[in-house]
Amino acid sequence: MTTPPRTLAEALRARDDESLAGLLRARPDLLNPVPGDITQLATRAGTRASVVRALEHLDRFALQTAEALAVAADPAPYETLLGLLTGDGRDDGEHRDDAGAAISDALPGALATLREQALVWGEDERLRLVRTAREILAPSPQHASPTGLGPTVAEATSGMSPGRLQEILAAAGLPATHDPVSAVTALAALFTDRARMGELLDSAPAEALSVLDRLVWGPPYGEVTPNPTPPVKWLRDHGLLLPVSTRTVVLPREAALHLRAGRAHRVPEPRPPAVEAVANRDPQAVDSAAAGQALLAVNTVEELLKSWNGGGPPILRAGGLSVRELKRTATALEVPEPVAAFWAELAFAAGLLASDGEADERYAPTPAYDDWAELPAQDRWTHLATAWLAATRTSGLVGGQDAKGRALSALGPELDRSAAPEVRHRVLALLAALEPGTAPDPETVLARMRWERPLRGASVSAGDTTDLRSRIALWTLNESELLGITGRGALATHTRALLDAGPAEAAALLAPLIPEPLDHVLLQADLTAVAPGPLERPLADMLSALADIESKGGATVYRFTPGSVRRALDAGQSAADLHAFLAAHSRTPVPQPLSYLIDDVARRHGHLRIGAASSYVRCDDEAVLNEILADKRSVTLRLRRLAPTALAAQVDPASLLEGLREMGYAPAAESAEGDVLITRAGARRTPPRTAPVPVPEGPPVPDATLLGAAVRAIRAGDTAATVVRKDAPESPGATAAAPGSLPRTTSAETLATVQAAAMTGSALWIGYVNADGAASQRVIAPVRVEGGFVTAYDHTADEVRTYPLHRITGVAELADDQTT
């Protein structure tokens, strides 16, 4: 017959290797560093930080099971635990038989989860919740438990005078006793006796029962005045309310459980809430809508980065975008500010955007953006979607405040939330479990997420009610629609492939749904061009330099203006180049007004030349310079004539260039050699940058290789720590080793014992101190002893090693061969 474990360490020691690996996989924080033996593992598993982390990863019913154990006696049999969850049969109609059956079916699984994570140990007849979890979840005289139950009668009366106990016993009709322990036991027995408790409540005033109704499901504490009302006085006199302080009373746990029909929770939730559908759509329509949004997402990110090509907005001293710059970006993209923040954060997470690192720091595209821009649209989308799934950056926080009341800025340093990737994957997994084309009800998705991790985003001990996990889940649903992960609320086929097979498969499914890039536009007489679909990159780049985007949608409308034509000329194009470009790429004849516009701007372009003096204006036509000097608008430029064909200014060349353009001229900047300076778009890039590394949520989940090695090391260390050893022979230099300490023997005894073990092939227990001064216990089987070293098979490390004899603190023979 197997002896029941007396401690958590003994329970863990009785597990097989697979079970220990399951514990370390579920609670990877226990591996940092690898425990030396089972006792260390049990100690670490009982620390508050580790237990809180484990509780945060429980689903609602597993957590309710742990909460029920926390209010039960320690240890508690399985039947008691089941009764706390199902009740004692005195149900008021809310707790039906099918619910009890569901609890009975789900309880073994919940208990197995708690056992696997070392939160519960012991046989079914003696279930024990680890002490730290009980301290967190159980009620005390200072606070109620999550179940709403208060302390037991014994806990609540621990400081009560014997005289007061006698008064309560007399009022409740119980025999007097001078032993306080017997008095407490008698009162607790009354509250747990169904018949006698029923008689006591039948004699209670109706107002007293109303007071109990308000306290029964928690919180169980209430404030009283020095002269309480008759109903409260009756309850206090009969022990149904026990004083905690001069102004506070509590409903004892035993009485509350009777009033609750034996249930620890008002509504046990053994089954996860179902994710309900709000609409069932055609899967093809879903894929088409998602593909259209995916193309829009790619184009929006590209538009954002193009607008920051020449150097983006400045970076705040504390990091991030200012509110004004975010508004300006939102206006440029024609989206709300939260959406603009999302696109900026997405580009940053994908490694396409970063700080330029200059003294006057600004955001700018990275060199990776140029490589990304050359990819097909479907590959650009998979790059963005993959980065979004793994990113801990949470754009939904923008505009909120941190713990110190400071505003959170887009691209700022305080937007990382380590739970974000796990929440995004879980939300998409719930959507993937639905039939294709099914759009879920967001409220049911949030309810399911709260059931799966009821404590995530809230502190177990502090009672923080901020449900960050639910907020991230809601943001995930909204961002999925923006990014083309979903279409019309349902998960797209290419997203299912991205989650299951990877980016390559997703891109292959998305490619047929994205229109082929076009090589033409439609020019119109009102100085506009219509692009009936996405354009090839060279055409799009040239057209964006020659014209301004007027409207976007299924078709993009470009407008030609004198400023846009001048921009193309500044980039090095000539009038002939522009005429040829339009003729080659227009399916309609080039309108005469557009040709006139190009010729007119080109004729005036470069007639004035701007250089650095501070700056100067040079022109072969003296009349033009006279006209500029006579214009009152040129006063701010502080011009003076240097020569008949040259003017000097007191402003920098860029300001002079801009000022003359506002006056209606078309000047061109020139170099020191007199050549026209060509301004090319997209010239500014950051130094090579890597994408921001996601902030991990706790230790990473170990792989099978690491788990196997850790389990072997723990087993071997446990063998070394618990092996039965022979007493060392008496000698003047020998010291008796206390349990758990390193063995101590003289150098001569160590050498003699090791040599004898090498000849007989027996195993030894040794104490060893490495070069870093770290001490450990090991079980070795010596093979060879020479030159001050012993070569042996180390059962602790499961390999052959060589140890310097002078680093061995002592040796002891094993009582028998326990290493097999």
Side-chain angles (χ1 to χ4, degrees), residues 19 38 117 121 127 147 166 257 317 372 538 590 682:
S19 179
I38 295 291
Q117 299 197 24
W121 58 278
L127 294 172
T147 61
Q166 297 307 316
L257 284 173
R317 182 177 300 176
W372 175 81
V590 179

Side-chain angles (χ1 to χ4, degrees), residues 295 299 377 380 514-523 529-544 553-558 581 584-587:
L295 182 60
N299 291 338
R380 282 183 279 162
I514 294 179
E516 287 291 332
L518 302 177
D519 62 353
H520 65 274
V521 294
L522 305 176
L523 295 178
V530 177
L535 300 177
E536 292 180 348
R537 175 156 300 281
L539 173 58
D541 290 343
M542 183 61 190
L543 197 59
S544 63
T556 304
V557 178
Y558 295 84
F581 168 77
H585 292 287
S586 176
R587 288 289 178 88

Side-chain angles (χ1 to χ4, degrees), residues 245-585:
S245 66
T246 55
R247 297 182 58 87
T248 306
V249 293
V250 64
L251 177 65
R253 188 188 311 172
E254 294 87 345
L257 284 173
H258 176 86
L259 296 169
R260 295 180 177 196
R263 298 200 304 274
H265 299 87
R266 184 193 290 266
V267 183
E269 299 181 56
R271 295 171 180 160
V275 177
E276 299 177 0
V278 70
N280 292 306
R281 312 189 191 280
D282 180 10
Q284 291 185 351
V286 167
D287 292 345
S288 297
Q293 192 61 38
L295 182 60
L296 179 60
V298 169
N299 291 338
T300 302
V301 171
E302 185 174 4
E303 181 183 353
L304 169 67
L305 296 175
K306 276 185 176 180
S307 68
W308 292 359
N309 256 337
I315 301 177
L316 293 173
R317 182 177 300 176
L321 279 179
S322 67
V323 174
R324 181 178 62 182
E325 293 294 346
L326 180 60
K327 288 182 178 179
R328 185 176 299 172
T329 301
T331 301
L333 297 179
E334 300 179 3
V335 296
E337 291 174 31
V339 177
F342 168 70
W343 294 125
E345 286 289 345
L346 179 62
F348 180 69
L352 309 178
L353 175 69
S355 164
D356 59 9
E358 301 293 335
D360 180 21
E361 268 193 308
R362 291 179 175 271
Y363 288 108
T366 64
Y369 162 69
D370 297 312
D371 298 332
W372 175 81
E374 296 299 325
L375 296 173
Q378 61 270 18
D379 292 326
R380 282 183 279 162
W381 179 83
T382 57
H383 182 84
L384 295 178
T386 303
W388 174 75
L389 281 171
T392 54
R393 304 285 301 176
T394 311
S395 64
L397 296 171
V398 173
Q401 293 183 335
D402 62 11
K404 297 182 179 179
R406 296 172 299 193
L408 295 172
S409 305
L411 301 177
E414 303 296 331
L415 296 184
D416 283 290
R417 296 296 182 270
S418 56
E422 187 267 335
V423 173
R424 292 192 190 110
H425 279 88
R426 185 56 193 147
V427 169
L428 297 185
L430 292 176
L431 269 60
L434 302 175
E435 291 294 325
T438 302
D441 180 359
E443 288 301 322
T444 62
V445 174
L446 297 183
R448 178 63 171 267
M449 296 294 292
R450 284 190 288 266
W451 185 91
E452 291 182 351
R453 295 289 187 274
L455 292 182
R456 295 299 292 161
S459 170
V460 178
S461 57
D464 182 7
T465 58
T466 302
D467 191 356
L468 177 62
R469 185 180 172 85
S470 294
R471 293 166 63 199
I472 295 177
L474 185 59
W475 294 332
T476 297
L477 293 173
N478 296 334
E479 292 168 2
S480 295
E481 197 71 17
L482 285 174
L483 192 51
I485 296 287
T486 58
R488 303 178 66 186
L491 199 67
T493 302
H494 53 264
T495 305
R496 295 175 185 269
L498 179 66
L499 298 174
D500 297 336
E505 184 66 23
L509 292 175
L510 182 60
L513 303 176
I514 294 179
E516 287 291 332
L518 302 177
D519 62 353
H520 65 274
V521 294
L522 305 176
L523 295 178
Q524 303 187 110
D526 60 349
L527 296 180
T528 60
V530 177
L535 300 177
E536 292 180 348
R537 175 156 300 281
L539 173 58
D541 290 343
M542 183 61 190
L543 197 59
S544 63
L546 181 58
D548 299 322
I549 295 178
E550 188 170 81
S551 64
K552 295 177 289 187
T556 304
V557 178
Y558 295 84
R559 178 163 295 280
F560 299 94
T561 65
S564 67
V565 174
R566 187 194 69 243
R567 187 170 64 236
L569 296 173
D570 286 342
Q573 301 294 324
S574 65
D577 295 334
L578 299 182
H579 286 302
F581 168 77
L582 294 175
H585 292 287

Side-chain angles (χ1 to χ4, degrees), residues 643-807:
T645 59
L647 301 177
Q650 299 298 314
V651 296
D652 61 88
S655 300
L656 180 57
L657 202 66
E658 185 65 26
L660 290 178
R661 284 172 178 171
E662 289 177 356
M663 293 170 63
Y665 298 95
E670 69 176 9
S671 66
E673 292 76 22
D675 300 323
V676 175
L677 292 175
I678 296 175
T679 304
R680 299 189 183 276
R684 186 162 184 171
R685 290 290 180 268
T686 71
R689 307 285 194 201
T690 58
V693 178
V695 178
E697 184 183 19
V701 177
D703 57 23
T705 302
L706 177 58
L707 285 175
V711 170
R712 288 194 299 271
I714 293 171
R715 291 285 192 201
D718 200 55
T719 300
T722 59
V723 68
V724 180
R725 302 176 288 272
K726 292 181 181 179
D727 292 334
E730 293 291 339
S731 70
T735 304
S741 63
L742 298 181
R744 297 287 181 180
T745 55
T746 64
S747 300
E749 288 174 339
T750 297
L751 177 60
T753 305
V754 170
Q755 288 175 333
M759 290 187 291
T760 60
S762 58
L764 297 174
W765 174 57
I766 70 170
Y768 181 73
V769 179
N770 65 14
D772 296 326
S776 61
Q777 304 177 53
R778 299 176 180 275
V779 175
I780 65 171
V783 177
R784 184 174 62 253
V785 182
E786 60 183 8
F789 292 87
V790 55
T791 301
Y793 175 75
D794 189 332
H795 291 276
T796 309
D798 195 21
E799 63 182 5
V800 175
R801 290 185 175 181
T802 299
Y803 297 100
L805 284 170
H806 70 275
R807 293 192 178 277

Side-chain angles (χ1 to χ4, degrees), residues 41-66:
L41 175 63
T43 302
R44 193 176 299 170
T47 59
R48 185 177 184 85
S50 182
V51 169
V52 168
R53 191 177 292 113
L55 291 174
E56 287 180 346
H57 284 80
L58 296 178
D59 62 49
R60 188 176 299 280
F61 187 62
L63 183 62
Q64 287 182 332
T65 302

Side-chain angles (χ1 to χ4, degrees), residues 175-192:
T177 176
H178 296 290
D179 181 9
V181 175
S182 300
V184 171
T185 303
L187 189 58
L190 168 64
F191 294 154
T192 55

